[in-house]
């Protein structure tokens, strides 16, 4: 048995090996998959629901597949964010704002699409969109709260960053 | 700078603080893993541990308890590698057995301990490493090993007894 009593990797090499998990690209991809998946699913469902006339079977299947595809991406993004890619406090604030912007934009687009298709006031679209915007807003508040708590704790510990 | 400050800074997203944590805890983590596994696996498992630490760090709610949290992750990785062997380790003492103050305590210096450690059963070896080599308190060891503090004390007691036997055996030979 090798009796080596020192780690083979230096601290710098260890940090380099952790880079793939820490890289900005991976975090952006994870958040983008989550946001695009949710927004896409919401938009496709809004289009599907607001179709004025009865749809042929194939079109129904196509809408269903689009929705499922978007939901798969949303689940994948959620899994990445939750399990694989560390989102630190500042990253979470940025991600939450991206989520809020995407929710608001998707809701507006879905409402516009529904109105163009003849719905006077598309209440279901507004309700679902409002729900997503509210959830995204809650995430923004939570992310800011968490970051503020960490900054507060840092000040208490006297470890404020030099500015 | 304390670990807690570094953890909070790392949780905010400061890469330098994370690098400093790695630099500070790389050898203790590796040492713990090395005492439980061979040197080759120790490198791989250490890397796994740091990956899990990086992924879990944003969710660590008590930055002041970084060390026990870190060793809990380390233990999980080691257990994964030793699965089966760990499960077969007999629990020979009852939880809560008193820790007798023992003259062997004085003999537990690092060099002697390290050479005799490999011959101890896993569970006893583990608490010795955590308590004596990593300087974790009995309560922290209990948290890491997910057993009551009394069980840690009884394992320490048995470990010291076994260690004394091994050291005396070594002296005779």
């Amino acid at each position: 048995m090798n009796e080596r009593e020192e780690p083979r990797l230096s601290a710098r090499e260890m940090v380099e090996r952790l880079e793939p998990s820490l890289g900005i690209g991976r975090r952006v991809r994870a958040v983008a998959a989550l946001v695009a998946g949710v927004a896409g699913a919401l938009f496709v469902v809004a289009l599907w629901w607001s179709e004025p006339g009865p749809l042929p079977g194939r079109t129904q299947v196509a809408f269903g597949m689009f929705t499922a595809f978007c939901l798969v991406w949303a689940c994948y993004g959620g899994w990445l964010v939750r399990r694989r890619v560390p989102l630190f406090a500042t990253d979470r604030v940025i991600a939450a704002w991206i989520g809020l912007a995407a929710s608001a934009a998707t809701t507006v687009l879905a409402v516009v699409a529904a109105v163009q298709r003849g719905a006077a006031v598309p209440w279901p679209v507004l309700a679902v969109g409002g729900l997503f915007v509210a959830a995204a807003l809650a995430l923004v508040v939570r992310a800011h709260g968490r970051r503020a708590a960490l900054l507060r704790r840092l000040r208490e510990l006297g470890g404020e960053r030099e500015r | 700078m304390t670990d807690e400050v570094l953890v909070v800074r790392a949780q905010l997203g400061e890469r330098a603080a994370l690098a400093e944590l790695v630099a500070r805890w790389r050898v203790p983590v590796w040492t713990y893993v090395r005492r439980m596994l061979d040197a080759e696996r120790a490198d791989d498992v250490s890397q796994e541990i740091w990956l899990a630490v990086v992924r879990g760090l944003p969710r660590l709610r008590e930055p002041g308890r970084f060390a026990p949290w870190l060793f809990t992750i380390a233990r999980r990785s080691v257990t994964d590698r030793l699965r089966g062997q760990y499960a077969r380790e007999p629990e020979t003492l009852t939880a809560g057995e008193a820790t007798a103050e023992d003259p062997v305590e004085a003999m537990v210096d690092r060099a002697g301990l390290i050479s005799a450690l490999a011959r101890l059963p896993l569970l006893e070896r583990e608490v010795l490493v955590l308590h004596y080599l990593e300087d974790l308190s009995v309560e922290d060891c209990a948290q890491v090993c997910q057993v009551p503090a009394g069980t840690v004390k009884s394992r320490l007691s048995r470990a010291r007894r076994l260690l004394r036997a091994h050291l005396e055996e070594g002296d005779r030979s």
Side-chain angles (χ1 to χ4, degrees):
Chain A
M1 189 172 80
N2 189 342
E3 287 304 319
R4 178 161 56 84
E5 295 304 334
E6 281 292 319
R8 185 166 45 86
L9 297 175
S10 68
R12 192 176 54 79
E13 287 168 328
M14 182 63 86
V15 172
E16 277 171 8
R17 292 201 177 201
L18 299 174
E19 273 303 317
S21 282
L22 293 168
I24 185 80
R26 205 166 170 182
R27 276 182 277 185
V28 169
R29 279 198 297 277
V31 173
L34 175 62
V35 169
V38 173
L42 182 67
F43 188 63
V44 172
V45 168
L47 286 181
W48 194 1
W49 173 82
S50 60
E51 279 291 333
L55 293 171
R58 275 189 186 177
T59 314
Q60 300 265 24
V61 170
F63 269 122
M65 282 177 68
F66 267 128
T67 308
F69 181 73
C70 290
L71 286 177
V72 167
W73 274 106
C75 291
Y76 175 64
W79 173 75
L80 282 179
V81 166
R82 188 77 197 146
R83 295 275 167 209
R84 310 303 290 182
V85 182
L87 284 188
F88 296 101
T90 308
D91 306 327
R92 279 171 196 258
V93 170
I94 296 168
W97 276 108
I98 292 172
L100 181 61
S103 306
T106 310
T107 305
V108 169
L109 276 175
V111 168
V112 168
V115 167
Q116 279 180 346
R117 286 161 175 236
V121 184
W123 290 112
V125 175
L126 275 173
V128 175
L131 208 64
F132 274 90
V133 169
L137 198 59
L139 288 175
V140 168
V141 170
R142 202 173 79 154
H144 273 286
R146 170 80 175 135
R147 186 166 182 274
L150 286 172
L151 287 170
R152 213 164 35 243
R153 184 70 188 134
L154 198 57
R155 276 195 298 276
E156 286 165 10
L157 293 167
E160 260 182 302
R161 279 174 279 194
E162 297 80 17
R163 295 184 194 281
Chain B
M1 197 179 294
T2 64
D3 281 343
E4 188 170 2
V5 170
L6 284 175
V7 170
V8 172
R9 291 172 84 155
Q11 285 183 322
L12 280 163
E14 204 179 314
R15 193 72 65 89
L18 185 65
E20 176 64 27
L21 275 176
V22 173
R24 190 175 285 190
W25 285 97
R26 178 184 61 103
V27 174
V29 166
W30 187 88
T31 305
Y32 164 72
V33 178
R34 174 66 188 91
R35 298 297 157 234
M36 308 301 289
L37 301 169
D38 57 74
E40 294 314 311
R41 283 194 294 176
D43 288 316
D44 290 344
V45 172
S46 293
Q47 197 179 327
E48 269 175 36
I49 291 166
W50 282 108
L51 201 56
V53 166
V54 163
R55 284 175 183 161
L57 199 61
R59 292 193 298 275
L60 174 61
R61 287 288 153 189
E62 292 182 82
R65 309 227 0 109
F66 176 72
W69 177 76
L70 172 64
F71 281 103
T72 303
I73 291 174
R75 183 178 195 265
R76 201 178 307 137
S77 295
V78 167
T79 311
D80 286 346
R81 293 295 172 115
L82 291 172
R83 200 173 295 286
Q85 193 180 343
Y86 240 75
R88 286 193 301 274
E89 284 289 323
E91 189 65 78
T92 49
L93 288 178
T94 54
E97 181 179 319
T99 315
E101 283 309 317
D102 192 322
V104 80
E105 189 118 31
M107 294 163 65
V108 182
D109 64 77
R110 289 182 178 235
L113 178 64
I114 287 167
S115 64
L117 265 175
R119 297 162 69 186
L120 293 184
L122 275 173
L123 297 176
E124 282 72 17
R125 195 191 320 164
E126 178 178 56
V127 289
L128 269 189
V129 171
L130 291 173
H131 188 61
Y132 287 109
L133 294 187
E134 308 297 355
D135 294 323
L136 293 190
S137 67
V138 168
E139 288 69 29
D140 286 347
C141 290
Q143 186 190 330
V144 172
C145 299
Q146 295 173 325
V147 293
T151 305
V152 171
K153 287 180 185 173
S154 67
R155 283 181 191 170
L156 277 173
S157 171
R158 177 172 153 76
R160 278 193 294 260
R161 228 175 23 245
L162 288 169
L163 203 56
R164 178 172 55 188
H166 290 321
L167 291 172
E168 284 171 356
E169 197 178 295
D171 285 346
R172 277 199 300 275
S173 59

